[in-house]
Amino acid sequence: MPEQPYEPEGAIAGTGMGGAMDLAASEAVTLERTPGGPQGTGPAGRPRSLWSDAWRDLRRNPVFVISGLVILFLVVISLWPSAIASGNPLKCDLAKAQEGSQPGHPFGYDGQGCDVYTRTVYGARTSVTVGVCATLGVALLGSVLGGLAGFFGGVWDAVLSRVTDIFFAIPVVLGGLVLLSVVTSNTVWPVVGFMVLLGWPQISRIARGSVITAKQNDYVQAARALGASAPRILLRHIAPNAVAPVIVVATIALGTYIALEATLSYLGVGLKPPSVSWGIDISAASPFIRNAPHALLWPSGALAVTVLAFIMLGDAVRDALDPKLR
């Protein structure tokens, strides 16, 4: 019997039940040439991970893009403030105190005759440094303590729960007034250490709950049945699947730590002159709000935009990493 020529218009595909169905030429070619599998899989039919799906959603989220660009700009000027501000933030001229905008000094001068623009730019370095270092310290300490408590349970879990209750009972601002009032250092590290000391219980609770939920999954039970050690189960199977809530909370908390540093500096117990901080500038400009509102407006606006950017970033990351919101 002569071989029939292939006609794309009449392509036939078996249904697997003894029948057949007609496929259009475009559909037949698509089935032939599609490199990946069905929806939800990547190249060669490999399933996409939570992180790849999250990154795909984040790239399409305008909130993430805008907040990410703002944060990237803040990081750049924190590392190289002289790129956009050539002046010295500590150089002041009392003869120009409370003067408004001038050529080369778009934000005017504060009550001490310092250039508000230069101090606002250099203040970003302090805020970003405190926020990032405090967040890393809190996330690391809280994740380790909470993860171990959730994994092993027992007495360790009970003791950690009671300790976190004690720390939650301490008002943050009042604790800062008490603990930092005796510190004479002008560096950011006492402030960072205080935030880590009072901030880790929140991350610890989140990590503990995530680990308790993750260790009940079937893949963890299967690894335990196959003889995997406790460190291997914790690091290879539980931690990668329990870290998403910690990342979300830590990202949002970063903006909170920046605001907390400004609050403590405003109250006089955080960073102190000659350090350059938005909180210090806001505190110094408050008595002159009627005569020189610009000296208060610009550092306050920079602080608000920075905190808002990190909160928006955290919200976008939360939406991308939460499967319930898909």
Side-chain angles (χ1 to χ4, degrees):
M1 181 175 180
E3 183 179 356
Q4 297 293 332
Y6 172 70
E7 298 180 0
E9 293 79 3
I12 303 296
T15 62
M17 296 181 292
M21 62 179 180
D22 293 332
L23 293 177
S26 59
E27 294 174 337
V29 173
T30 300
L31 289 179
E32 241 179 41
R33 297 181 179 178
T34 300
Q39 185 178 6
T41 61
R46 293 193 300 270
R48 291 196 300 261
S49 67
L50 171 65
W51 302 104
S52 61
D53 282 343
W55 175 239
R56 183 190 59 180
D57 294 341
L58 287 174
R59 288 181 298 176
R60 301 176 180 178
N61 190 343
V63 174
F64 173 79
V65 174
I66 295 173
S67 60
L69 291 176
V70 173
I71 293 172
L72 178 61
F73 173 74
L74 291 170
V75 171
V76 170
I77 66 174
S78 298
L79 296 175
W80 301 284
S82 59
I84 62 173
S86 58
N88 186 348
L90 301 179
K91 183 180 180 180
C92 305
D93 185 359
L94 286 175
K96 299 180 179 180
Q98 301 183 16
E99 291 186 1
S101 175
Q102 298 179 4
H105 307 277
F107 294 176
Y109 297 88
D110 62 9
Q112 300 296 323
C114 303
D115 184 19
V116 176
Y117 172 77
T118 302
R119 291 187 63 87
T120 301
V121 171
Y122 276 83
R125 170 182 291 179
T126 300
S127 297
V128 172
T129 300
V130 170
V132 171
C133 293
T135 301
L136 291 177
V138 166
L140 181 60
L141 181 61
S143 298
V144 171
L145 295 179
L148 293 176
F151 183 75
F152 293 105
V155 178
W156 173 257
D157 188 16
V159 171
L160 184 68
S161 297
R162 301 294 75 79
V163 171
T164 55
D165 290 339
I166 295 174
F167 276 92
F168 277 129
I170 301 175
V172 177
V173 177
L174 180 59
L177 290 173
V178 174
L179 296 178
L180 295 177
S181 61
V182 298
V183 177
T184 58
S185 175
N186 289 329
T187 64
V188 301
W189 303 117
V191 179
V192 171
F194 162 75
M195 293 180 181
V196 173
L197 178 64
L198 293 187
W200 69 267
Q202 180 187 18
I203 299 295
S204 177
R205 286 282 178 90
I206 300 296
R208 173 183 175 273
S210 298
V211 170
I212 290 176
T213 302
K215 75 176 184 179
Q216 298 173 357
N217 292 326
D218 293 337
Y219 58 84
V220 176
Q221 304 300 329
R224 184 177 286 110
L226 292 174
S229 62
R232 180 179 178 84
I233 293 176
L234 182 60
L235 296 177
R236 294 290 300 273
H237 301 285
I238 294 181
N241 296 280
V243 72
V246 174
I247 294 177
V248 173
V249 174
T251 305
I252 297 176
L254 201 156
T256 305
Y257 294 141
I258 292 177
L260 178 58
E261 178 273 322
T263 302
L264 295 174
S265 298
Y266 178 87
L267 295 174
V269 296
L271 296 177
K272 304 174 181 64
S275 299
V276 180
S277 168
W278 289 334
I280 294 176
D281 291 348
I282 294 173
S283 177
S286 297
F288 311 105
I289 186 173
R290 292 186 177 181
N291 299 328
H294 60 273
L296 179 65
L297 174 64
W298 292 109
S300 301
L303 176 63
V305 169
T306 301
V307 174
L308 180 62
F310 280 105
I311 292 177
M312 291 172 57
L313 182 71
D315 289 341
V317 172
R318 178 199 60 196
D319 296 342
L321 291 179
D322 191 352
K324 298 178 182 178
L325 300 178
R326 296 185 181 278

